[in-house]
Amino acid sequence: EAYKARAGYSALERVLKEWSPEKVIEELSASGLRGRGGAGFPTGKKMAITRECAEQPHYVVLNGGEDEPGSKKDRLLMENLPHLVIEGVILAAYAVGAPKTHLYINGLYKDAAQSMADALAEARQAGYWGDRILDSDFSLELVQNTAPPNYVAGEDSAALEVLEGKKPVPRQKPPFPAASGLFSKPTAVYNVETLANISPIISRGAKWYRTLGTAESPGTMIFSLNEEVKNPGIYELRFGTPLRSLIEDCGGGLKEQKKIKAIQPGGPSSGFLTPDRMDLALDHLSLRDAGSSIGCGVVHLLAEGECLVEETLRTAEFFLRESCDQCPACRMETNMLAIMLKKVQGGQGEKALLDQFSKVISFNRGKGYCNLINMPGPPIESALSLFRSDFEAHLEKGACPEN
């Protein structure tokens, strides 16, 4: 009732009465909405690919398998705004012509799963999903599923494997899920935050949405700040907002008045930035041109005195643990990078060892079934470029550089 009082489900009611699926796709394409799961793929384009596939049936999957270290946005959306997410799911299903959708939610998110289950029951009771929704010709079944709480299980095709009752391992691509996904049928897989944007766009229009953000990255994005700042939390900001505004105005800066040494603006797979880039705009293009990425919006800060060797080693070991071991190239690369960083940490080897990292990363780039094989590269290469003295100090004395 609270959601309906804020015009909740009015977008769905309008669409089912007045709009064709094609018009929904056109409006979302015009809005410039991009995926919020990390890749930033145009939402309308993915819908169109699935919609246009002759193979039937079509599916929509809500990917709430969020397991990116430090990311909290999807969990909090499902806990606090479940109907906003569900309305987005239903609208997406209508657009692609899907009679069934799956809500794939991280198994550790007990409160989020319960909130979504309660909201699903309320929405069903109100007639927003089921047979002939609101007396239209559109019928939809919604099924809630549990995602394994490991990183690779959140990859789109690995999620489809789980939904088919298999192990959470990515599939070789192409074909991509939009054309051949769940049970080899066309499937649109969307991040939770992406779907939460759909109803507002339908209600207010693509032109309104483009008044927010930048021309290349319209709208807003939810960013996660963690315990290293004074005010940890998640913050919704327009694309194009300076990084400084998020870190200082929202986060209050680092705790204990510490100075920033390095910034990772897009989670553990993004390249590091130095603090002189604090006025960079938070959008896909600006961060890409700076040698980093926006990812899924997890901003990680290192204080002066922290060591980039230790940080990149932790990151490499994380990706090594999370590799599904399916692709030999990924298994060997992630293991090799961790071993090499361990040698640097212990002062084993000459400075020439530092030049080998890029060779290993370049040799294996793009050879795996999913993007995990590419993820350790940007943080390692950027750290070596920007903070090489940390690595050289370890090689010289087997310890972190002095503060």
Side-chain angles (χ1 to χ4, degrees), residues 223-282:
F223 297 92
S224 300
L225 290 176
N226 291 287
E227 297 303 318
E228 62 261 28
V229 299
K230 295 175 183 175
N231 305 315
I234 65 170
Y235 297 89
E236 183 181 12
L237 301 172
R238 299 181 183 208
F239 279 115
T241 299
L243 184 57
R244 183 185 303 277
S245 179
L246 173 63
I247 294 171
E248 295 182 353
D249 299 340
C250 298
L254 286 174
K255 290 179 177 178
E256 301 173 6
Q257 305 299 318
K258 293 181 179 178
K259 293 184 178 181
I260 295 172
K261 177 177 179 176
I263 306 164
Q264 262 187 313
S269 63
S270 62
F272 287 99
L273 301 173
T274 49
D276 62 335
R277 309 306 301 273
M278 287 271 281
D279 293 312
L280 265 176
L282 285 165

Side-chain angles (χ1 to χ4, degrees), residues 195-219:
L195 291 166
N197 278 272
I198 291 178
S199 175
I201 291 172
I202 299 301
S203 294
R204 302 189 185 188
K207 289 183 179 179
W208 161 79
Y209 195 71
R210 282 196 171 273
T211 65
L212 310 172
T214 68
E216 190 269 341
S217 297

